[in-house]
Amino acid sequence: VTNFVSLTTIVIILGLLNVLKGTFRRTSQITTKAIALQYGDQYEERFKNAVNKYLEKNHGNNLILIFDDLDRLPPKQLVAALNSIKTFLHSDSCAFIIPCDKEILRQGIRVVLSEKADDSDIDDKFISEYLNKTFDYQIHLPILEQKNMKRYAKQLLMEQNIEWASDPDINLDRVLGVLIHSSIKTPRQTKELL
């Protein structure tokens, strides 16, 4: 009986070792960790390498990078982000799109430059020059009118087949006239409201 138990124990241990050996083989990996970058030229070199890899994989198609929501950053981070992006703007293979609220951008730049210059009176001309040096092209989109927001809200309701929106007893235009008031100015606010 002892030999049987010992033989059974050995078989079980060998089976477990075989299972564990397979487990170790499947989960062992070599990982590399990139060294933290400290200088702008290191970022620029890494950026160039990433762009070149993209261009090779995509047969020379240009790369378009979109930096969204910069206008939601605190002023210091906003200007730091703009300065970082500026270092990469000279790439011939990339186009950069930075959608933002120009007034918020201007306010953030004014706050940071006023702190640096110890002068709270940074004029609009100086900020305009800063922006012109940063961006090659600036495209200004028209402000959306209240009628457009109501039309957009109605379209959203119809596309999503909202039951009450197609009820003939409900005057949808009147409801939207109340819901989409003067404070609702963007499509995002309209979506949130609905």
Side-chain angles (χ1 to χ4, degrees):
V1 174
T2 354
N3 286 340
F4 178 72
V5 172
S6 298
L7 185 59
T8 306
T9 306
I10 291 172
V11 170
I12 291 173
I13 290 174
L14 286 175
L16 285 173
L17 286 175
N18 200 19
V19 168
L20 289 176
K21 181 180 168 189
T23 303
F24 284 124
R25 197 175 295 136
R26 275 187 241 118
T27 61
S28 65
Q29 298 176 351
I30 297 175
T31 57
T32 58
K33 186 174 182 179
I35 297 172
L37 304 179
Q38 297 177 349
Y39 305 103
D41 56 341
Q42 293 173 321
Y43 286 101
E44 191 169 353
E45 190 61 35
R46 187 171 287 178
F47 176 75
K48 285 179 186 175
N49 291 337
V51 169
N52 288 334
K53 281 182 185 178
Y54 170 85
L55 294 173
E56 286 173 16
K57 284 182 182 179
N58 293 287
H59 310 293
N61 290 334
N62 286 341
L63 177 63
I64 298 173
L65 296 170
I66 301 172
F67 296 91
D68 197 7
D69 293 337
L70 284 183
D71 50 357
R72 293 184 179 192
L73 294 173
K76 286 183 180 177
Q77 289 179 357
L78 169 69
V79 172
L82 283 175
N83 288 333
S84 296
I85 292 168
K86 266 197 320 191
T87 19
F88 305 117
L89 287 177
H90 57 74
S91 174
D92 294 333
S93 305
C94 295
F96 298 85
I97 298 174
I98 305 173
C100 58
D101 183 328
K102 186 176 179 181
E103 288 310 308
I104 292 175
L105 201 66
R106 293 176 75 82
Q107 288 170 7
I109 293 168
R110 178 175 283 113
V111 166
V112 172
L113 294 181
S114 294
E115 287 175 4
K116 286 183 178 180
D118 292 328
D119 182 9
S120 60
D121 194 29
I122 298 289
D123 65 347
D124 285 335
K125 184 178 179 183
F126 185 82
I127 294 173
S128 294
E129 287 175 18
Y130 179 89
L131 290 172
N132 289 335
K133 288 178 184 175
T134 304
F135 301 109
D136 291 334
Y137 303 103
Q138 295 179 34
I139 300 171
H140 303 279
L141 300 177
I143 296 173
L144 296 170
E145 297 176 12
Q146 203 64 30
K147 289 180 187 176
N148 292 340
M149 286 299 103
K150 290 176 188 171
R151 191 176 319 130
Y152 177 66
K154 189 173 188 175
Q155 177 187 347
L156 285 176
L157 291 171
M158 294 304 164
E159 284 175 359
Q160 295 187 13
N161 295 322
I162 305 297
E163 192 174 318
W164 63 265
S166 53
D167 186 337
D169 294 332
I170 295 177
N171 184 338
L172 186 57
D173 291 324
R174 287 190 71 196
V175 171
L176 292 177
V178 172
L179 288 176
I180 310 300
H181 50 82
S182 61
S183 296
I184 306 296
K185 296 181 181 181
T186 67
R188 180 175 286 149
Q189 289 173 328
T190 303
K191 278 185 173 182
E192 287 175 1
L193 180 67
L194 295 178

